[in-house]
Amino acid sequence: MLMAFALGMDAFSVGLGMGMFKLRLKQVFIIGLTVGIFHIWMPLLGIIAGRFLSVQFGTFAALAGGVLLLILGLQMFVSGIRGGEGAVLAPVGMGLFIFALSVSLDSFSVGLTLGIYGAKTAVALVCFGLAATALTWLGLLIGRKVQGVLGVYSEVLGGSILFAFGLKLLF
């Protein structure tokens, strides 16, 4: 559960930034569930792959997650500066897929390790999914409240947060 909470903290932090994207409660609900589902499937894939691959692949997953967050954060930052016009990636459709994938890639890396050491798969996956869903909802809701206070600048701040987490994953 501690590992699930630690992995979910990335989803919370990124959700905090994404919550400033002017989301409705229905979108917050869907985003949280989607991130939770990705936090179940990615470690499952990692566990399966971990039984066949070495730990070297975990570095690639962290780098890919960093690049995805950089792109998403930069797009959100530019969109905020332009006054919300021309948003390429929103947390719906492909943007939601990219968002959920970027915050769950680290759980793929953890899944690799769990697969190598033969952890209890079902317990780990349920913990990862529940923690990621709850923490994503919390981050999105807090970000949503902050968005109302910051107004126009909230999207710029949210994009900056996502971009910073992308850099953190890369370096």
Side-chain angles (χ1 to χ4, degrees):
M1 196 59 196
L2 288 174
M3 188 181 296
F5 183 77
L7 287 172
M9 285 308 293
D10 272 353
F12 169 79
S13 301
V14 175
L16 192 62
M18 186 60 72
M20 296 181 201
F21 201 75
K22 300 176 186 172
L23 301 171
R24 288 181 270 144
L25 288 177
K26 181 180 178 183
Q27 290 173 303
V28 169
F29 180 76
I30 291 170
I31 292 167
L33 283 180
T34 304
V35 169
I37 289 168
F38 268 76
H39 269 78
I40 291 171
W41 281 103
M42 292 303 285
L44 176 61
L45 294 174
I47 288 170
I48 292 168
R51 295 188 177 147
F52 300 107
L53 301 174
S54 70
V55 179
Q56 296 290 333
F57 197 68
T59 304
F60 172 75
L63 291 175
V67 169
L68 288 171
L69 284 176
L70 283 175
I71 292 168
L72 191 59
L74 185 61
Q75 181 276 323
M76 194 171 165
F77 182 84
V78 169
S79 175
I81 288 178
R82 291 182 178 167
E85 297 174 10
V88 177
L89 290 174
V92 294
M94 184 55 77
L96 176 57
F97 177 80
I98 291 172
F99 172 67
L101 181 64
S102 67
V103 298
S104 65
L105 278 173
D106 57 344
S107 63
F108 177 82
S109 303
V110 170
L112 282 171
T113 306
L114 293 176
I116 291 169
Y117 291 108
K120 294 182 180 180
T121 304
V123 172
L125 297 179
V126 168
C127 289
F128 288 177
L130 290 176
T133 300
L135 289 169
T136 301
W137 283 337
L138 184 62
L140 289 167
L141 291 172
I142 292 172
R144 189 171 179 256
K145 291 291 183 191
V146 172
Q147 183 271 332
V149 173
L150 296 177
V152 163
Y153 300 104
S154 63
E155 199 168 345
V156 173
L157 177 61
S160 300
I161 292 170
L162 296 180
F163 192 83
F165 271 93
L167 288 176
K168 176 188 168 277
L169 283 177
L170 289 176
F171 299 107

